[in-house]
Each structure stands twice: as C-alpha cells, then as structure tokens.
Amino acid sequence: MTIHATAIVDAGATIGAGTRIWHWVHVSPGAVIGAGCSLGQNVYVGNRVRIGDRVKIQNNVSVYDNVTLEDDVFCGPSMVFTNVYNPRAAIERKNEYRDTLIRQGATLGANCTIVCGVTVGRHAFVGAGAVVNKSVPDFALVVGVPARQIGWMSRHGEQLDLPLTGDGQAFCAATGEQYVLKNGVCELA
C-alpha cells in the first residue's frame, strides 16, 4: 500500500493490499477499499462507500455515501456521483440517500454524472460528459444528456456490432470473445 504524505486516511478506513492513494486524497473512517486500487489526486471517499479490487478512480472524483463500486470499475477524471435526488442547502436529507451500484468492469467516462439510485451494469460504458439518470444494462454503451444507449461494448472495451434491441451475435475485435444479444439482453457466450 502506498499513501502519499498529503493524503488523509482517517482511522477506521479499510484499505486493501497494493492500493495506491495519491496527493490530497481524503478517505473517511468507514470506507472500505479493496486491493490493487488507485485513487488519483484530490479524490474523496465517504464513510458508507464500498470499493472493490483493482478499481481506478482518476483525479477530482468524490465518491459519496451509499455508492458501491464493484471490482475493476474505472472512474474517469472529474466524474460525479450524487447521493441525494433533490438537494436543498436549507433542508437536511441525509436519511434520504439513495444507493448507487456500479457493477464489475464498468467504465464511467470523464466528467459524466451518475444520478443517485441507479445501477450501471457489468462492463457497461458511460461516455464522457453523459448524465445517467436511469439504470444502464450490462455491456451497454450510453452517451448524452440524458444518457441514452447507442450500442454495446465488450469486456475489453470494444464496440460490438449488435442491434440495440432484438437478437444477434458479435465477436470482440480485440479478444475474439463471442457476445449474444437475445431479447435485448447482451451476454458473454
């Protein structure tokens, strides 16, 4: 484990082996962070946050309470999580936090926003600047404001030649893995 001298890791936080914590990071006392992670400059991790293994969180990302990142998630620079759906400065809503789940292998592009209460599916890909306000299926590629699905992605991060709905099959250009789309659900064969 590597913790930069400028980082603050509060007593009680759990940090896995081989995790690297860079400049000006703050990890709250209740946070659980897995092994082999990388937290870039100016990252904040809240008390009720669970982060799996091999997660990469780029610079300037705040991971607020009630966010769970499964293994192998990538959080691009300056992307945003929320945990209150309708915040007001004068009204405390800590008892209204909504859970957000980012499933294994998902990519959250730079400057995207994940509105609380959604699930981003396994190996899904959220494009840079997108605003996700509803759950995203496994392997889906979503872009825009609000985010809309425009395709499917392989585990390797290659766009698959599949229709958005219906049935089909495709192979990842990088790995040769086969993907099957059946009734609008994409799965690794």
Side-chain angles (χ1 to χ4, degrees), residues 7-125:
I8 298 169
V9 177
D10 291 330
T14 302
I15 313 290
T19 289
R20 297 179 318 266
I21 298 175
W22 296 106
H23 305 72
W24 302 294
V25 170
H26 181 191
V27 179
S28 297
V32 176
I33 300 171
C37 296
S38 177
L39 280 61
Q41 181 175 302
N42 198 39
V43 166
Y44 169 75
V45 180
N47 277 303
R48 293 193 318 261
V49 170
R50 299 294 172 264
I51 296 173
D53 296 335
R54 299 170 305 280
V55 171
K56 292 184 181 178
I57 303 174
Q58 299 296 307
N59 296 353
N60 306 311
V61 175
S62 292
V63 186
Y64 295 119
D65 286 351
N66 292 49
V67 172
T68 299
L69 307 176
E70 292 185 348
D71 296 345
D72 305 308
V73 168
F74 177 87
C75 297
S78 301
M79 61 80 48
V80 175
F81 291 103
T82 69
N83 60 6
V84 175
Y85 191 77
N86 56 339
R88 293 284 196 197
I91 301 170
E92 185 173 310
R93 292 198 162 124
K94 290 183 180 179
N95 63 339
E96 297 178 25
Y97 287 172
R98 295 185 183 185
D99 295 338
T100 298
L101 174 60
I102 311 300
R103 302 290 314 274
Q104 181 181 8
T107 291
L108 309 176
N111 290 305
C112 74
T113 298
I114 308 298
V115 177
C116 58
V118 303
T119 296
V120 175
R122 293 178 308 114
H123 306 289
F125 197 103

Side-chain angles (χ1 to χ4, degrees), residues 141-166:
L141 168 61
V142 298
V143 299
V145 179
R148 68 193 183 293
Q149 186 176 354
I150 63 165
W152 301 98
M153 297 290 275
S154 73
R155 293 191 306 173
H156 192 76
E158 300 291 328
Q159 191 164 358
L160 297 168
D161 185 19
L162 289 170
L164 287 180
T165 61

Side-chain angles (χ1 to χ4, degrees), residues 160 162 166-170 178-182 185-189:
L160 297 168
L162 289 170
D167 299 329
Q169 66 177 8
Q178 182 181 9
Y179 293 81
V180 176
L181 182 68
K182 186 171 183 178
V185 176
C186 185
E187 295 180 339
L188 182 61

